[in-house]
Amino acid sequence: MATDEHAPARPVVVVSNRGPISFRVGDDGGLVARRGAGGLVSGLGPLVAGTDATWIAAAMSEGDRRAADRGVVETEGFRVRTLAFPPDTYRAAYDVVCNATLWFLHHGLWDLARRPRFDDRWHEAWAAYRTVNEVFADVVAEVAPDDAAVLVQDYHLCLLAPVLRDRRPDLRLVHFSHTPFAGPDLLRVLPSAVGAELLDGLAAHHACGFHTPRWARSWEASYRELRGGSPTAATFVSPLAPDPDDLATSAGSDACRNSLDQLEERVGDRSLLVRVDRIELSKNLLRGFHAFDELLRRHPRWRERVVFGAFCYPSREGLPEYLAYRQEVEGLVRTINDRWRTDGWEPILLETADDYPRSVAALRRFDVLLVNPIRDGLNLVAKEGALLNERHGLVALSPEAGAWFELEGAVRRVDPYDVVQTADALASALGATVEERRVEAAELRRRARARTPADWLADQLAAAD
Ligand code: G6P
């Protein structure tokens, strides 16, 4: 899409909560733009940059809010329109509905004896979420060129399509869920009117996309059971893929080389187990550490012979659940290290500063990469690890990650709730022979390279027609 020969037939508008650029207020009071965080931006960003596409996103920082006053801003190759909301409205929509409700719903994270509880505050937050979606719809209606393909991303924006279709029937609307999709039993947890509004909001698109057939089936089953019949929106499946060139550039940077040197020094000639994740409940960090504890107990030969490098950076700390989870993770790591450490061997290196070059360095160096989520829309790290690794490292993957669908057969299975099975699978992967590693890692690389971000974008545009 970045060149004319790949230019799409329709103009493109991308709509997401987090934009491709975040702004901060510089020392001189001016606005400084930098590339936004997250998998969506790293996957889609390079394809959209330098094209005529417009990207519409919410203002998440003070700098973003100031940028919002300027209308469409052209910077770093993007045409970005940032939307500022009254802070209370935005927080209610983002924290209470998007993060504490819809994220928990689609990842099955509720402890149902206690949560959720849909009280007055929650119903007000739902009204705020509806308002945010309506404002997004108004702005898309204003700025979208005739007949544009509007690519709406994720659970933050489920209610925009009905409004937008009324106002701009010429537009083609595609929604893509980067998360899993809750099946009917979980969706019944929502207040019934809310569940209906959510499903109808998604069905008002021309097409709805998912990373795996499994999430697509859940969406259709939920719609059928709670709304009756099949959704009018077409369903499509299109897994995102990492950009190998972007990864190679990061891997070749000085910052990454320095981080790798430091890591080598700390690990020495021991084997290296790695994980790279947000500190996020669905990533199953606690059971990952319990499994490592089991590994050291059940397989004594690995004591002092393996280091677990856990590169886990904070996320959504506005939510008490995330803060408490982080404390629990740090406490558990301390306990395990206290149990097993010896002179000169620290079993777990937990690094919680968000340091992208260091994460890339860890992915270049791992012997085994642990990816054991409870549920995950895709999990790009599993594919990035496969592409970046330089030691024929193996990936231990949970079948609950969407990427399982593409990588099964080229990865070691870890059952996310079974810490004994996970410990044994990790021990077996760590003990694989050079030849086993060579063969498995080559197949894994082949699978991880099978698609590119351009394929994903092409699928969205095809779904729009
Ligand atoms: C992860 C998910 C995406 C989601 C994003 C939001 O990356 O895979 O589906 O859009 O989180 O994260 P944020 O930090 O913007 O709340």
Side-chain angles (χ1 to χ4, degrees), residues 385-401:
L387 293 181
L388 281 165
N389 190 259
E390 295 163 7
R391 297 167 62 91
H392 305 305
L394 301 182
V395 173
L397 184 64
S398 157
E400 297 302 306

Side-chain angles (χ1 to χ4, degrees), residues 26-89:
D27 296 340
D28 61 356
L31 286 183
V32 184
R34 65 173 192 150
R35 219 30 197 273
L40 177 69
V41 172
S42 62
L44 192 51
L47 298 168
V48 169
T51 70
D52 291 335
T54 305
W55 197 319
I56 300 172
M60 297 187 76
S61 65
E62 182 47 35
D64 290 351
R65 299 176 63 76
R66 292 220 205 147
D69 297 338
R70 301 187 183 171
V72 174
V73 175
E74 302 210 10
T75 181
E76 312 268 312
F78 292 105
R79 291 168 48 80
V80 189
R81 174 78 155 85
T82 313
L83 309 188
F85 297 93
D88 289 350
T89 305

Side-chain angles (χ1 to χ4, degrees), residues 164-177:
L164 194 52
R165 270 188 98 144
D166 277 353
R167 293 203 41 192
R168 288 287 305 272
D170 60 307
L171 301 176
R172 301 291 296 182
L173 310 184
V174 178
H175 187 275
F176 195 89
S177 293

